[in-house]
Amino acid sequence: MTVPTRPGLSATAEKALREAMERLFAGRPIRTDGKLTKQNLWREAGVSRATMNRATAVLADWDNRVSQSTARKHDQKLTEEITRLRRQLKENRIERQRLQDEVDAAAIVIAAVLAENAALRERAGNRSAVVIPLGRTQAAQE
């Protein structure tokens, strides 16, 4: 489907845009990094952005080809992968925080047990070393 171009667009500018589009899709850019963006399209064609915007037929063809290109499908897969990895990262951060909370709670319990143990040792050390014999029972004496 070809959309008519707006008035004011020269045949030369339209030709430059179409040639630039072909170079970008073929992976042989001359003036840009080759990414399939509209900014690269007008720069690759050597026209202004305003000129490109008047080329509605070229832009319609561009949008159609970009949406069906393997590069676009690759970009969509990468976007899905990034989304999945961000979700996984969020889950991992939540799990890490849960585990850190458990470690902090365990450290508090350990500190309390150590303090109690030290107090018990101090009390045990303060007792006299005198042994008090227990009285003999009647059965043992006979």
Side-chain angles (χ1 to χ4, degrees):
M1 173 178 159
T2 306
V3 179
T5 14
R6 290 185 185 177
L9 180 69
S10 70
T12 306
E14 184 172 356
K15 181 180 179 200
L17 284 164
R18 290 200 179 277
E19 289 173 352
M21 182 169 44
E22 292 306 317
R23 284 195 305 274
L24 287 170
F25 279 106
R28 295 180 316 230
I30 296 171
R31 299 179 177 129
T32 65
D33 61 6
K35 291 181 182 174
L36 298 179
T37 64
K38 288 182 182 175
Q39 181 170 336
N40 277 352
L41 176 61
W42 63 266
R43 286 184 174 168
E44 187 69 28
V47 300
S48 70
R49 184 174 186 90
T51 299
M52 178 194 69
N53 288 337
R54 287 192 300 273
T56 55
V58 174
L59 290 177
D61 290 345
W62 172 266
D63 289 340
N64 186 39
R65 287 185 68 183
V66 165
S67 68
Q68 296 176 5
S69 74
T70 56
R72 175 68 170 191
K73 291 174 185 168
H74 179 70
D75 285 348
Q76 287 174 339
K77 285 182 182 177
L78 288 177
T79 300
E80 290 169 2
E81 178 73 2
I82 288 169
T83 301
R84 184 187 68 75
L85 290 172
R86 283 185 175 153
R87 187 179 329 110
Q88 184 180 7
L89 178 61
K90 182 179 179 182
E91 291 169 359
N92 288 347
R93 284 180 175 156
I94 290 169
E95 176 68 6
R96 188 205 59 80
Q97 185 60 52
R98 185 188 68 74
L99 292 172
Q100 185 62 52
D101 292 345
E102 284 184 20
V103 167
D104 293 345
I108 290 169
V109 170
I110 290 169
V113 168
L114 284 174
E116 185 178 341
N117 191 21
L120 289 172
R121 285 178 192 239
E122 185 177 328
R123 265 193 259 154
N126 289 339
R127 291 190 178 167
S128 67
V130 178
V131 176
I132 302 172
L134 297 175
R136 294 183 162 198
T137 60
Q138 281 261 343
Q141 290 177 358
E142 291 177 9

